[in-house]
Amino acid sequence: FAGPRYLSLRIRASRPSMFGLLLGGRVEAELHELLVGDVQLGWAHALAGADDGASALGSFKTTWLYGAGLALRFAPHWRARAGYRGETWVLDHTHRALHGAEIGLVARFQ
């Protein structure tokens, strides 16, 4: 997959932002007739944005998105999915990581 990516931190001490192109991929594997596993990875490099060299964080350089999940088919085109989603922001002077759980309903029509 490919598409635009915009990030902006809005905290009192710093206001860096970035605009870039997100590139990534997703792989699905049928583990059982009713169970599907997936893994995804994406990367974006800052092409433009507001630099904040005066802050302790610095400016955005790159971002990484990653995740994995399991989906249970309960109808021909519907799945209930649970998974993990992570994101890492690489800035001039540090990096920040976000981790979270996902639960959702997926509709797949071909």
Side-chain angles (χ1 to χ4, degrees):
F1 53 84
R5 173 104 166 128
Y6 176 75
L7 284 175
S8 178
L9 289 181
R10 296 296 177 211
I11 56 177
R12 291 176 196 227
S14 175
R15 295 197 183 272
S17 64
M18 73 165 266
F19 179 80
L21 178 64
L22 174 66
L23 303 172
R26 178 183 170 98
V27 176
E28 290 186 352
E30 189 171 306
L31 304 174
H32 183 272
E33 184 178 307
L34 299 175
L35 189 63
V36 177
D38 66 74
V39 175
Q40 55 201 340
L41 178 66
W43 172 81
H45 182 73
L47 299 175
D51 289 335
D52 195 353
S55 79
L57 299 176
S59 302
F60 279 107
K61 295 299 178 193
T62 62
T63 63
W64 290 91
L65 290 92
Y66 37 89
L70 291 173
L72 180 63
R73 287 188 186 126
F74 61 88
H77 301 289
W78 295 93
R79 301 175 186 173
R81 184 182 177 279
Y84 162 79
R85 172 102 174 179
E87 191 168 333
T88 300
W89 303 340
V90 180
L91 294 105
D92 283 326
H93 308 296
T94 187
H95 71 278
R96 294 289 180 247
L98 303 134
H99 303 282
E102 296 180 317
I103 298 175
L105 186 62
V106 179
R108 302 283 287 191
F109 297 97
Q110 298 173 344

